[in-house]
Amino acid sequence: MRRKIVAGNWKMHKNLVESQALVTEIRGIVRDELLSNDAEIVICPTFLALPSSIKLLEGSNIAVGAQNMHQEAQGAFTGEISAPMIQSIGATHVIIGHSERRQYFGETSQTCALKTKAAINNQLTVLYCVGETLEQRESDAHWTVIEEQVRLGLQGISAEEMKNVVIAYEPVWAIGTGKTATSAQAQEVHAFIRTIIEKQYGDQIAQATRILYGGSVKPDNAKELFAQADIDGGLIGGAALKARDFFDIIQAAV
Ligand code: PEP
């Protein structure tokens, strides 16, 4: 039985004061209204808001993650943040390979593999994102694209290390567009990703690996998506910025 995860990707939204207000609101609702601890909850605010979010969430069941990191531990990489730095402030997760990083910052699956390795070496759980563009889906290239992203992004990751990897399937055409993959479309790809993991790591690890869906998940579609056999929760963008919506999505996972 895989424990579901609901992770919020705040992207480049909310200044420090706004972040603290949102964290406090989410913490309050989760504390007062969540009846079960069945799902793992993660929020990924901007780097600036990580330390205060961690402090505000002390003693709660909400974990905090970064949205990106550099693969090197330190060095002359102006503007970058490393895995040991993220780990040192008490963050536990990191998103790697988000499609916006791939699209706007030249992130490749090869760099994702290096980042994933560095994150795991620093006890971080990786939320590794894969997903096809609309053009790739329409030309039926999505199977090849996803397979390559999964294989290359996990290069050098051992079977033992896979327990620190969560895959997020996020079709690019569904991110921030209001277009959600149907639950059947998502399930089909999730099952496919599981077979890729199975070929590489065997059935036991494939069955244990969590695969999240991301792309316009909202309170009204979350339940159906999360009910699919191979969908183990969600990576949530826009709806994670509203405490009530985020909470309702968490409720759909428990
Ligand atoms: C995301 O950015 O990971 C995402 C899924 O965004 P949204 O939920 O807004 O589509």
Side-chain angles (χ1 to χ4, degrees), residues 6-11 42-47 50 64-70 81 86 91-102 107 112 115-116 119 124-130 164 166-168 170 175 212 234-237 240:
V6 177
N9 171 17
W10 292 14
K11 312 193 187 195
V42 186
I43 58 158
C44 303
T46 67
F47 279 123
L50 288 180
V64 178
Q67 298 173 18
N68 178 40
M69 52 165 268
H70 195 275
I81 306 265
I86 294 169
T92 50
H93 294 66
V94 61
I95 299 171
I96 289 178
H98 190 279
S99 63
E100 288 149 17
R101 300 284 327 160
R102 293 179 190 262
E107 191 122 316
C112 289
K115 290 182 179 203
T116 297
L124 297 172
T125 295
V126 173
L127 308 176
Y128 174 54
C129 304
V130 299
N164 296 103
V166 175
I167 311 264
E170 299 207 307
I175 296 180
L212 312 184
L235 181 54
I236 320 301

Side-chain angles (χ1 to χ4, degrees), residues 129-143:
C129 304
V130 299
E132 80 284 0
T133 62
L134 184 59
E135 197 186 358
Q136 288 162 342
R137 176 160 281 261
E138 283 175 344
S139 59
D140 212 30
H142 54 300
W143 304 113

